[in-house]
């Protein structure tokens, strides 16, 4: 059996005259797991409140950030994006706040920072958990006081910028581990929105599959109008540890290989490092046993070069998250370190 792909131009929702509504209509999954998320977006967008988007890699945080901007009164102005994990601390400071000519070696010209470029618009700071501790007080100041000085300047610049941040890390745990400033965390966490992973939105997978098949078939000049039912069932069952981004790349590969108007691709890659699903007790027990064994060998010390996290090849915060999810607690005579 197979399932028809459907007409690419068929309307999914009724058109609306609200500013930004056309962008919302392009978001796939808005009838399933994203309905409550988009309700929060529509509630916060008209305000100037700082928004913190959290979720695993590939869950669509940048898409939601753009939706907040498109539905806000700041829509006519710029949406400026910065990935805090993509550049070193010194360069990130200059990128955010700008610098004066001669401020440091190689600064042969003045540079306008992203905050200035986002004036009266929105600044999206992705991977905010990777912002260096030394730079965090400067971000806190511009959020509170709406002013900053470019690198190498004594001139204060005032800005009117709405800030949206995103992370795939547990910022609350990072605060406890002194890896992230507590005052900045509370300033960013004014309106938190948590994006669920794709494995918790299985009802959205058929819509994603049909959308991506149409998109890539059109871009490659192919005609694909049928998806076998068993193929769709296989895609729904897969845990997709890389979330929407992994599914998108898989569909692109499948479209390249498909012939005769039927979408066919190799089964999704099996990945034992995928996030544990409670419905898979065998894998869950295996992961729990590995963590317990590493903790016992490390005498329940999680951090440090000989701690359990290092033995497992994980970050300390990642190990703590997995332990919490699996219900693993240290013995009464040990404390988490």
């Amino acid at each position: 059996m197979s399932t028809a792909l459907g007409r690419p131009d068929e309307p999914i929702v009724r058109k609306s005259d609200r500013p930004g509504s056309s962008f919302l209509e392009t978001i796939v999954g808005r009838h399933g797991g994203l309905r409550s998320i988009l309700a929060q977006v529509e509630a916060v967008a008209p305000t100037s409140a700082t928004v913190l988007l959290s979720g695993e890699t590939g869950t669509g945080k940048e898409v939601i950030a753009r939706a907040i901007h498109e539905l806000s009164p700041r829509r006519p102005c710029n949406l400026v994006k910065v990935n805090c994990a993509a550049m070193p601390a010194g360069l990130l400071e200059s990128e955010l706040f700008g610098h004066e000519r001669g401020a440091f070696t190689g600064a042969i010209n003045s540079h306008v920072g992203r905050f200035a470029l986002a004036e009266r618009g929105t600044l999206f700071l992705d991977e905010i958990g990777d912002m260096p501790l030394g730079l965090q007080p400067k971000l806190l100041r511009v959020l509170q006081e709406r002013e900053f000085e470019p690198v190498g300047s004594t001139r204060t610049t005032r800005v009117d910028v709405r800030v949206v941040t995103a992370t795939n890390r547990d910022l609350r745990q990072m605060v406890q581990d002194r890896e992230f400033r507590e005052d900045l965390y509370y300033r960013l966490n004014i309106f938190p929105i948590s994006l669920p992973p794709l494995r918790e939105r299985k009802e959205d997978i058929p819509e994603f599959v049909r959308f991506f098949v149409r998109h890539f078939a059109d871009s490659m000049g192919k005609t694909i109008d049928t998806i076998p039912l068993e193929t769709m069932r296989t895609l729904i069952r897969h845990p997709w540890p890389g979330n929407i981004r992994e599914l998108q790349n898989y569909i692109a590969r499948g479209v390249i290989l498909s012939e005769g108007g039927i979408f066919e691709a190799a089964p999704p890659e099996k990945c034992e490092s995928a996030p544990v699903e409670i419905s898979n007790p065998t894998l869950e027990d295996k992961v729990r046993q590995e963590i317990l064994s590493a903790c016992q060998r490390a005498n329940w010390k999680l951090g440090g070069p000989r701690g359990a996290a290092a033995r497992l090849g994980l970050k300390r915060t990642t190990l703590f998250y997995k332990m919490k999810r699996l219900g693993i607690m240290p013995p009464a005579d040990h404390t988490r370190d």
Side-chain angles (χ1 to χ4, degrees), residues 271-277 280-295 312 314 318-319 321-323 325-326 328:
C271 180
E272 292 196 359
S273 63
V276 175
E277 288 191 281
N280 188 342
T282 302
L283 180 56
E284 182 184 64
D285 290 344
K286 180 179 178 181
V287 173
R288 179 185 283 109
Q289 186 55 48
E290 288 180 354
I291 291 177
L292 280 171
S293 177
C295 288
L312 292 166
L314 300 173
T318 302
L319 174 58
Y321 169 78
K322 289 179 176 290
M323 290 174 64
R325 179 169 182 171
L326 294 169
I328 299 174

Side-chain angles (χ1 to χ4, degrees), residues 111-133:
H111 172 70
V112 177
R114 301 294 181 93
F115 266 100
L117 290 175
E119 174 66 16
R120 306 183 74 83
T122 304
L123 180 64
F124 174 50
L125 300 178
D126 199 6
E127 306 293 354
I128 189 65
D130 291 288
M131 175 172 282
L133 272 170

Side-chain angles (χ1 to χ4, degrees), residues 213-273:
V213 168
R214 282 197 297 263
H215 171 77
F216 289 116
D218 289 345
S219 66
M220 297 176 192
K222 288 192 169 188
T223 299
I224 298 179
D225 51 23
T226 302
I227 302 172
L229 189 58
E230 187 53 40
T231 298
M232 184 69 81
R233 287 172 175 166
T234 298
L235 300 181
I236 293 173
R237 288 194 298 264
H238 190 67
W240 299 111
N243 293 295
I244 300 168
R245 186 176 297 120
E246 181 190 2
L247 174 62
Q248 178 180 357
N249 294 336
Y250 172 83
I251 298 298
R253 184 166 64 249
V255 170
I256 293 172
L257 299 173
S258 297
E259 299 291 345
I262 300 176
F263 176 75
E264 288 285 2
E269 296 179 4
K270 293 182 179 181
C271 180
E272 292 196 359
S273 63

